Amino acid sequence: MREYIPQISKLLNGVLDGLPFLLPEFILATTFLLSIFSGISKGQSKVTWWLSVTGIVAAGLAAVLQSSSPAAGPVFFEMILPDANGALLKVLIGFVCLLFCIFVYHNQPLRNHPKKMDDLLSVLLAVHIGLNLMAIAVNWLMVYITIEMVSIGSYVMVAYLSRDNKQSEAAVKYVLFGTVCSAIMLYGLSFFYGYTGSLSFVDARHLTGLLAMPAPVFMLATLLVLTGIGFKLSFVPFHFWSPDVYQGAPTPVTAFLSTAPKIGAIVLLGRFVLSWPQTLDTAIPRPLFYLLAVIAMASMLVGNLVAIRQNNMKRMMAYSSIGHTGFLVMIILADVERSFPILFFFLASYVIMNMGVFMLADYLEEKLGLTEISQYRGLGKSHPAVMVALTILMVSLIGLPPTAGFVAKLLTFSAVLTAYQAEADLVWLLLAVTGAITTVVALFFYFKIPLQAFLRSAAEQSEQKAPLNALLITAFLLCLLTVLFGIFPAVVLDLL
Amino acid sequence: MISLTHFLLVSALLFSTGLYAVLAKKNAILVLVGIELMINAAVLNLVAFGRYDGGLYGGQTFALFAIVLAAAAVAVALAIILNVYKHYKSINPDDINDLKD
């Protein structure tokens, strides 16, 4: 023990130097503790809701401050790297959490639940902390902890209502699949640790150690680790849970799961892939690169082709989000220098589109009881504003101008083609072609909705007029944002 | 003399047993037992490798965190399984199959 005593002050200083960079997380942790106390009170009190919103906004502002004064290098003994990119992603994650709060507030099943929505908001805050840390993690220990933090919170969120068979089934499938994937990941990580003696993937010793590993062991360990990240991202072949969970979970939770954990997980994958320096002797190993390229192509193909057969709105969106994951992986691989602005723009537009679609879908489900796309027939006449907004969002999801989705896909394709010109590797061309083909395929299922709503007439004209509420207004604002970002993409791109 | 290889062999055996329990999926609780075996295999690996990590104890720290997080995940999983039993009166994953394409 005695030989460690001189080290203590150095270790303490290391901790103290890192603390200022965790300001957003401190705010969230305090809010989390307060929200537990405020949730005890009986009756329909809105204290917790306001508390959560204030906490999330304050944490977001702290993250904005952080983006202007990023850390020079990894802090907390190479656990986290609070750089400017990470701070911007924290803001985006905070934005998703804020939209989720608004969403929950207007969801009757969640509000009328005997446990109220207070506990759900506390869980949300905990997941928010996990996601924030995931966006800046550069150490496998941190990666594992954040993945588990987010996963355990998400299991509770999916199981929160458990009103009927389907909701409890979604939760049990999610929790079993998720814990198996994280156990497999942990086993893979133990090999990374064993062969390199280091857990930090910004550590040169770790990278050279990985390259020195025997090729079969390296591939096996990488596959095991990718299982855990793949579960969070739901790329092929770890996507089996997502359609069932998306369909069974309460709609606000589905909207959250399809966006926020994806931001965290893709950044994690990005930090791992981009941690390889671009010099030839330590570049990313080719087998790993090809593996990720195949995963990207398979995700785009499976997501978009299977979505055609779906009739349930939430199930279709699940496959659509698998397809978008393919694009995200493609961006990560494409252009190391320029990929962050593209990735951020893609994520921001994806968040806006998905949240908007789920808000409108929830509105239709709650007010009119419609869950299947074929039931949307004739809605264009009775609810024109809702259906026009949904159509604009669908246009954006396909990637047609003048929407944010178009700019995001355009930037992606140009990055991939630039990489093809630089390297002349056939795999780039294959990626670009797969992306283009699946975009065309996407036309068929996204346009089923406007087709049903505007071109088919309803069997009986329902005179049910649904009232305008804040949820609908938020969805319209998101819809406006997709068009705004589509026409003036510089609004977002200049931030970076 | 027990070497590192022996530890790795035992952990590989544990991992395979756990994976078999998960894939056979006769009962949701047994799946959880399988998951626990898989996590313990990883923990054994980490501690065994940690022996050669001079003075940093990265592996042992990781093992401690892994044990705690596994316990938390299993607690949530058990609660959810209890919930599903209320609706289905069964915890055989093959019976719980209302959601499909």
Side-chain angles (χ1 to χ4, degrees):
Chain A
M1 255 347 257
R2 190 153 294 163
E3 69 266 28
Y4 290 107
I5 291 172
Q7 302 284 336
I8 287 176
S9 64
K10 210 180 86 190
L11 291 176
L12 278 179
N13 279 333
V15 172
L16 287 176
D17 288 343
L19 281 180
F21 295 106
L22 287 181
L23 182 62
E25 289 73 28
F26 277 128
I27 295 174
L28 286 172
T30 319
T31 321
F32 170 69
L33 289 176
L34 289 175
S35 78
I36 287 179
F37 287 113
S38 72
I40 298 171
S41 69
K42 287 220 166 71
Q44 280 279 11
S45 92
K46 289 172 188 163
V47 181
T48 316
W49 192 82
W50 281 109
L51 190 71
S52 313
V53 168
T54 321
I56 292 168
V57 170
L61 290 177
V64 171
L65 281 179
Q66 229 173 39
S67 69
S68 53
S69 57
V75 293
F76 278 112
F77 314 104
E78 299 198 330
M79 281 284 168
I80 55 172
L81 176 62
D83 53 0
N85 295 354
L88 280 169
L89 289 161
K90 283 184 198 175
V91 177
L92 189 60
I93 292 166
F95 180 61
V96 178
C97 292
L98 207 58
L99 287 177
F100 178 74
C101 286
I102 297 173
F103 208 156
V104 170
Y105 190 81
H106 291 283
N107 188 285
Q108 283 309 320
L110 285 171
R111 288 194 69 171
N112 298 342
H113 192 257
K115 282 180 280 186
K116 297 181 290 174
M117 58 179 178
D118 298 7
D119 292 0
L120 188 64
L121 291 172
S122 304
V123 175
L124 170 79
L125 290 167
V127 172
H128 191 359
I129 300 174
L131 284 169
N132 267 5
L133 291 174
M134 201 190 259
I136 51 176
V138 286
N139 185 300
W140 287 117
L141 173 59
M142 206 62 207
V143 168
Y144 182 71
I145 293 173
T146 52
I147 284 188
E148 283 290 283
M149 270 177 93
V150 174
S151 296
I152 294 174
S154 314
Y155 305 149
V156 177
M157 284 165 103
V158 171
Y160 195 72
L161 281 181
S162 296
R163 281 188 305 178
D164 52 18
N165 283 8
K166 283 187 177 172
Q167 284 180 338
S168 59
E169 178 188 345
V172 85
K173 280 185 171 166
Y174 191 36
V175 76
L176 289 182
F177 202 87
T179 35
V180 170
C181 283
S182 70
I184 293 176
M185 179 185 181
L186 187 64
Y187 193 65
L189 288 183
S190 73
F191 283 107
F192 274 4
Y193 173 65
Y195 277 88
T196 65
S198 161
L199 283 165
S200 164
F201 46 77
V202 288
D203 189 352
R205 193 161 58 111
H206 184 67
L207 292 181
T208 48
L210 285 182
L211 290 171
M213 273 167 88
V217 184
F218 173 71
M219 279 319 280
L220 180 71
T222 316
L223 275 177
L224 295 175
V225 172
L226 280 181
T227 311
I229 299 177
F231 161 72
K232 283 271 86 164
L233 268 177
S234 72
F235 59 51
V236 175
F238 306 110
H239 66 286
F240 295 104
W241 61 275
S242 75
D244 291 347
V245 173
Y246 280 33
Q247 190 186 346
T251 314
V253 175
T254 309
F256 183 76
L257 286 186
S258 74
T259 46
K262 262 187 202 192
I263 301 175
I266 196 71
V267 174
L268 216 57
L269 187 65
R271 283 202 196 272
F272 176 53
V273 170
L274 303 188
S275 68
W276 307 89
Q278 286 306 289
T279 45
L280 272 179
D281 54 329
T282 52
I284 179 169
R286 292 319 272 179
L288 177 59
F289 172 76
Y290 288 124
L291 181 72
L292 286 171
V294 169
I295 284 173
M297 284 188 265
S299 303
M300 287 189 274
L301 284 173
V302 170
N304 286 296
L305 289 175
V306 184
I308 295 178
R309 287 199 291 123
Q310 306 304 322
N311 191 29
N312 182 290
M313 180 71 185
K314 277 149 86 181
R315 241 188 140 75
M316 190 196 89
M317 286 306 290
Y319 283 106
S320 131
S321 96
I322 296 170
H324 277 96
T325 305
F327 268 92
L328 286 172
V329 176
M330 190 158 89
I331 298 174
I332 293 271
L333 292 177
D335 191 345
V336 180
E337 295 299 315
R338 280 180 48 220
S339 70
F340 182 75
I342 301 175
L343 186 70
F344 188 80
F345 189 85
F346 199 107
L347 283 172
S349 60
Y350 175 73
V351 160
I352 293 168
M353 298 184 294
N354 252 29
M355 275 290 178
V357 168
F358 278 113
M359 281 178 177
L360 293 173
D362 189 48
Y363 181 81
L364 292 174
E365 187 180 335
E366 228 177 75
K367 299 284 188 269
L368 305 171
L370 309 177
T371 52
E372 309 295 306
I373 293 168
S374 56
Q375 293 171 328
Y376 287 1
R377 64 180 39 211
L379 279 185
K381 283 210 185 70
S382 51
H383 298 85
V386 176
M387 288 329 272
V388 166
L390 199 53
T391 307
I392 294 174
L393 291 170
M394 288 297 150
V395 166
S396 180
L397 279 170
I398 298 167
L400 295 177
T403 53
F406 167 71
V407 180
K409 282 202 173 159
L410 184 72
L411 289 171
T412 313
F413 283 129
S414 66
V416 171
L417 290 175
T418 315
Y420 174 63
Q421 278 169 349
E423 282 186 46
D425 195 334
L426 201 61
V427 93
W428 293 115
L429 204 59
L430 276 175
L431 277 170
V433 169
T434 320
I437 290 174
T438 52
T439 305
V440 176
V441 172
L443 265 172
F444 289 94
F445 62 88
Y446 288 128
F447 266 178
K448 267 203 296 201
I449 291 167
L451 175 79
Q452 295 283 359
F454 292 108
L455 300 181
R456 304 263 163 82
S457 51
E460 78 262 31
Q461 195 62 257
S462 71
E463 285 308 313
Q464 244 181 317
K465 274 284 170 228
L468 192 71
N469 61 14
L471 181 69
L472 214 51
I473 294 171
T474 317
F476 289 153
L477 282 178
L478 291 177
C479 187
L480 195 70
L481 273 183
T482 50
V483 178
L484 191 73
F485 288 170
I487 301 172
F488 307 107
V491 178
V492 178
L493 289 173
D494 283 354
L495 280 176
L496 309 166
Chain B
M1 177 62 196
I2 301 174
S3 67
L4 182 63
T5 323
H6 293 94
F7 283 105
L8 294 187
L9 268 178
V10 171
S11 89
L13 271 175
L14 267 178
F15 187 78
S16 321
T17 320
L19 199 60
Y20 174 74
V22 167
L23 294 178
K25 61 166 188 174
K26 285 281 165 240
N27 182 313
I29 304 282
L30 268 181
V31 174
L32 283 187
V33 173
I35 291 166
E36 205 61 28
L37 284 177
M38 286 158 79
I39 290 171
N40 281 331
V43 167
L44 186 60
N45 256 1
L46 284 169
V47 175
F49 283 133
R51 172 83 178 71
Y52 299 89
D53 191 351
L56 282 169
Y57 301 115
Q60 277 148 20
T61 323
F62 203 147
L64 282 177
F65 276 101
I67 292 167
V68 173
L69 286 171
V74 167
V76 170
L78 278 174
I80 289 173
I81 290 172
L82 195 64
N83 219 327
V84 96
Y85 180 74
K86 268 196 270 177
H87 289 289
Y88 283 86
K89 296 291 166 227
S90 160
I91 49 168
N92 184 346
D94 293 331
D95 294 342
I96 305 165
N97 214 3
D98 279 355
L99 293 167
K100 51 180 172 253
D101 278 333

